[in-house]
Amino acid sequence: MEMQAKLIKALEMMRSSERILIIAHLRPDGDALSSIAALRLLGLNLGKEVSSFCQDKNQELFDYLPGVNTIYSDLGSLKKGLGINDSLRDYFDLIIVADCGSLARTAIGDDILEFKHKGGQVIEFDHHPRIDDYADLEIRYPELSSTAELVYNFIVANKLSFNRDLADCILTGILTDTGNFLYPSASDATMKAAAAALAAGARYNKIANYVWRNKDMAMIKMWGLALERLKLNPRYQLAFAVITRDDIINIFGQDNLDSAAESDFFSGLAGFLSNLSGAKAVMLLYEDRRGLVKGSLRSTPNGMLVGKLARALGGGGHERAAGFTLPGTLEQIDNQWVLVDNKI
Ligand SMILES: [Mn+2]
């Protein structure tokens, strides 16, 4: 099926449902939350009852997006809030999964499979490479910059009205997933979608302040430390930087980063480093918590595709922007950084 036909079919499925649950990935980024916010508005415009879920969403994240404060951040409170005793199928007839890449990234994969098993319908809107095949209607286009761009295509394909609130969502998703149009995923179609959002009244300044001009002193210092630590592995032409748990405690004065700070560090700094010339790829490593190391990989222009490497390390993502998580700690031995897996 062509994209156009799939997008029309998605609207038919929404129209023939009464209660819709929209889900994006755990530890959401701007694109995940924008996609939820936009799809929720579109569902409400159809007269549907719409709920949304995103595991680990913290309260302030992208709070200007319409309805983003109504997103449930854990399944228990969703079920309690809606009076669901058992299965999601007892309440919903349609689930829309947005921007998730894999079922695991919904954080409630088993509940979704059970929902489907009991006759519920699932639509996927995504721009990650396929990992799982579970949706009744899979609208997956890895060549798109963002799921928000796909949602914009949904609006256009179905000739739905495009208002300022929707435009804020679309522009936010595009700006966050393209690093303000810097990453290679920003195509002419992406620019056209963003231009349409601006023409519909999207508040560019407010969005840019939120997604880009938002760095406090601690975050700038963390960027600074990572830049100072930047090294090139000449054999693989891989540039890399390392941030340890102790660095985070020293800089932030606390032992954890909230998801907004983490996303800024990973997406913001990794995206910035993807402009590095003289390297084929960039890798940021940091100790997510004691015993767990997260890696973020970016391809540089004309560099190597990093998606395969991330998948080989048990992670996922896009071909040019991907990540992984491994057990272990980061230690400096003989002036070299080593990932030590304490379990081995
Ligand atoms: Mn995305």
Side-chain angles (χ1 to χ4, degrees):
M1 224 192 289
E2 298 270 311
M3 188 195 292
Q4 178 90 357
K6 286 188 179 183
L7 295 170
I8 289 169
K9 170 103 176 105
L11 184 67
E12 280 168 17
M13 288 170 74
M14 287 173 76
R15 280 218 164 101
S16 57
S17 311
E18 286 312 314
R19 286 170 170 171
I20 304 172
L21 175 61
I22 301 168
I23 301 170
H25 59 80
L26 52 104
R27 302 175 94 124
D29 57 14
D31 188 32
L33 294 175
S34 304
S35 300
I36 281 189
L39 288 165
R40 176 181 165 274
L41 287 177
L42 293 163
L44 293 176
N45 288 346
L46 296 171
K48 306 302 171 186
E49 189 186 322
V50 184
S51 307
S52 19
F53 172 80
C54 206
Q55 181 79 32
D56 302 327
K57 178 198 172 295
N58 74 8
Q59 284 190 334
E60 301 81 33
L61 201 55
F62 293 94
D63 57 6
Y64 64 89
L65 289 171
V68 80
N69 55 350
T70 66
I71 298 174
Y72 289 100
S73 58
D74 72 274
L75 190 60
S77 50
L78 178 140
K79 286 188 172 177
K80 202 171 161 206
L82 298 172
I84 302 172
N85 289 323
D86 182 24
S87 165
L88 291 173
R89 181 71 183 109
D90 298 343
Y91 195 85
F92 296 105
D93 36 27
L94 178 66
I95 287 180
I96 301 177
V97 177
D99 199 43
C100 280
S102 67
L103 196 54
R105 295 240 299 154
T106 64
I108 54 167
D110 289 345
D111 293 81
I112 295 172
L113 292 178
E114 189 230 29
F115 169 84
K116 230 180 100 65
H117 186 68
K118 290 190 170 166
Q121 298 273 297
V122 180
I123 305 176
E124 242 192 315
F125 280 82
D126 204 359
H127 71 129
H128 296 87
R130 177 198 266 183
I131 293 180
D132 306 308
D133 181 12
Y134 64 95
D136 298 283
L137 178 61
E138 182 185 47
I139 315 175
R140 175 182 305 288
Y141 291 95
E143 66 273 25
L144 295 186
S145 68
S146 50
T147 300
E149 186 180 336
L150 181 58
V151 175
Y152 173 73
N153 291 349
F154 172 76
I155 293 168
V156 173
N158 290 291
K159 303 187 177 68
L160 301 172
S161 71
F162 190 42
N163 59 29
R164 188 181 214 196
D165 279 345
L166 280 169
D168 275 346
C169 302
I170 302 305
L171 191 60
T172 298
I174 288 176
L175 285 173
T176 50
D177 258 26
T178 63
N180 301 330
F181 305 115
L182 276 182
Y183 309 159
S185 61
S187 67
D188 59 340
T190 312
M191 304 289 183
K192 279 181 192 153
L198 288 170
R203 285 157 273 212
Y204 177 77
N205 250 319
K206 182 174 181 168
I207 297 168
N209 280 341
Y210 208 95
V211 303
W212 191 243
R213 300 183 196 112
N214 58 354
K215 284 160 194 54
D216 59 16
M217 183 68 99
M219 184 52 69
I220 294 284
K221 285 191 170 168
M222 186 139 124
W223 278 52
L225 185 63
L227 293 173
E228 190 186 307
R229 295 241 177 99
L230 190 65
K231 279 190 173 170
L232 184 70
N233 177 315
R235 188 160 157 210
Y236 299 109
Q237 286 180 272
L238 175 74
F240 66 97
V242 166
I243 294 282
T244 67
R245 205 70 227 157
D246 288 339
D247 295 328
I248 290 165
I249 295 167
N250 284 339
I251 293 172
F252 288 87
Q254 59 191 41
D255 196 16
N256 70 312
L257 286 184
D258 65 30
S259 57
E262 190 174 278
S263 148
D264 184 285
F265 177 63
F266 265 120
S267 306
L269 179 56
F272 175 72
L273 287 173
S274 71
N275 301 300
L276 184 72
S277 59
K280 286 189 168 167
V282 175
M283 178 170 70
L284 279 182
L285 288 173
Y286 105 120
E287 287 177 324
D288 179 33
R289 51 179 198 265
R290 300 275 173 214
L292 209 57
V293 173
K294 280 179 85 164
S296 188
L297 289 157
R298 294 290 183 278
S299 305
T300 54
N302 310 316
M304 67 172 180
L305 299 180
V306 292
K308 216 179 216 176
L309 176 57
R311 287 192 290 278
L313 294 168
H318 306 278
E319 291 310 330
R320 308 189 66 96
F324 59 86
T325 304
L326 290 171
T329 52
L330 293 165
E331 284 164 36
Q332 207 165 18
I333 300 170
D334 295 337
N335 213 21
Q336 297 236 21
W337 284 102
V338 181
L339 176 78
V340 181
D341 185 347
N342 301 317
K343 285 192 199 131
I344 295 173

